[in-house]
Amino acid sequence: MKVGLYPGSFDPITYGHIDIVERALKLFDKLHVLISVNPHKNNLFTKEERIEMVEQALEPYRDSLEIGASETLTVMHAKQLGATHIVRGLRALTDFEYEFQMTHANRELDDAIDSVFFMTANKYSFLSSNAVKEIARFGGNLSTFVPPFIVERLEAKYR
Ligand code: ADP
């Protein structure tokens, strides 16, 4: 059974993340989606809120997914879960630089765990959680970026 691990902040989960999950599930039998808990990152949503939103957004794929949180190094978590690959998404060139560094650092830590990258549908290639939060702050239309229940959660935060 091929097992992958998709880590991220998911602050909040967007259609871009969901698109990556759909693509990864064509390659992996099981995908662990892990919400990264990093006290140095200034997240809008708490760990519990992010987990809850990811669970709700990914409900249709529930049979092939395990959702949780991670407070440790991704490679260590991957090993514990029996995942062979870390799944990440690529948008523009700016993602490449960061992902390049992370992949090489992860290989130094554990060469047995590799990383695979998916590109989203073109329509999501400029979509990020940060952009979504920025639009929400100014009351813009988010209907093509995140599921309706997340629009409500964002509106509640900025109300
Ligand atoms: P992190 O803080 O770990 O980068 P994010 O939640 O911002 O967490 O992103 C998690 C992963 O999902 C990253 O690999 C990111 O590049 C990818 N991702 C997020 N949004 C998109 C998108 N619209 N298209 C492709 N990949 C995306």
Side-chain angles (χ1 to χ4, degrees), residues 6-20 34 36 38 41 43 50 87-92 95 98-99 116-121 123-130:
Y6 181 27
S9 303
F10 302 102
D11 186 44
I13 187 167
T14 70
Y15 284 136
H17 293 115
I18 298 171
D19 185 281
I20 298 291
L34 285 191
S36 317
N38 182 347
K41 272 203 177 174
N43 289 310
R50 287 182 285 147
V87 169
R88 297 285 289 174
L90 278 182
R91 285 161 292 198
D95 275 345
Y98 176 73
E99 297 296 340
V116 285
F117 300 89
F118 292 95
M119 293 187 194
T120 45
K123 61 183 171 181
Y124 303 136
S125 60
F126 293 97
L127 176 54
S128 68
S129 299
N130 281 341

Side-chain angles (χ1 to χ4, degrees), residues 57-72:
L58 298 179
E59 182 59 35
Y61 316 97
R62 204 68 182 96
D63 290 349
S64 318
L65 297 179
E66 291 282 341
I67 295 161
S70 179
E71 306 196 22
T72 179

Side-chain angles (χ1 to χ4, degrees), residues 13 16 23 26 43 50 53 64 76 83 86 89 129 136 146:
I13 187 167
R23 287 169 202 278
K26 292 183 186 144
N43 289 310
R50 287 182 285 147
M53 289 186 287
S64 318
M76 286 167 69
I86 296 169
S129 299
V146 293

Side-chain angles (χ1 to χ4, degrees), residues 6 8 16 20 32-33 42 64 75 94 116 154:
Y6 181 27
I20 298 291
H32 290 272
V33 180
N42 204 359
S64 318
V75 278
T94 43
V116 285
L154 282 159

